Every structure is written in structure tokens, then in C-alpha cells.
């Protein structure tokens, strides 16, 4: 929600749940407007030793 008097651009990748628009890297929230974004999940990085595999298998 943008309570300001100017549009705001924010970093976001996902889907706008109101319009269905796919967002690849950023979204503009218009002055006085709202955008509801389901953001893409960030990749989970697991160190090789913690995943139950050897470092050689992870390479």
C-alpha cells in the first residue's frame, strides 16, 4: 500500500494477485494505490555437508 503522493518502484518478482500480472524484477505501486504480490520463493541453499551428501556429490 502506497500512502504517498508519488508512485514507488519496489524490487519484487512474483504474481500480482489482483491483476494476474507476472512480475520479473520490480513492481510500481501507484500513489494512493495497492499491489498484492505473491513473491517467488527464494532458492534454499544447503551446504553440502548438511544435506547428507558429500561435497564431491554436490559438485
Amino acid at each position: 500500500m502506497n500512502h504517498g503522493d508519488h508512485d514507488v518502484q519496489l524490487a519484487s518478482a512474483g504474481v500480482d494477485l489482483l491483476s494476474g500480472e507476472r512480475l520479473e524484477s520490480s513492481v510500481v505501486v501507484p500513489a494512493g494505490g495497492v499491489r498484492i504480490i505473491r513473491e517467488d520463493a527464494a532458492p534454499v541453499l544447503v551446504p553440502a555437508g548438511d544435506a547428507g551428501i558429500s561435497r564431491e556429490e554436490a559438485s
Side-chain angles (χ1 to χ4, degrees), residues 8 29 36-37 39 51 53:
V8 177
V29 183
I36 301 173
I37 310 302
E39 292 188 318
I53 59 174

Side-chain angles (χ1 to χ4, degrees), residues 1-31:
M1 183 173 286
N2 181 356
H3 294 282
D5 295 329
H6 304 284
D7 294 355
V8 177
Q9 185 169 359
L10 303 171
S12 182
V15 176
D16 182 316
L17 296 179
L18 298 177
S19 70
E21 177 185 0
R22 174 83 190 136
L23 307 166
E24 296 300 329
S25 61
S26 67
V27 59
V28 174
V29 183

Side-chain angles (χ1 to χ4, degrees), residues 29-59:
V29 183
V34 62
R35 302 286 298 261
I36 301 173
I37 310 302
R38 178 185 302 140
E39 292 188 318
D40 294 339
V44 177
L45 303 177
V46 178
D50 293 343
I53 59 174
S54 69
R55 293 197 183 279
E56 292 77 26
E57 290 175 309
S59 304

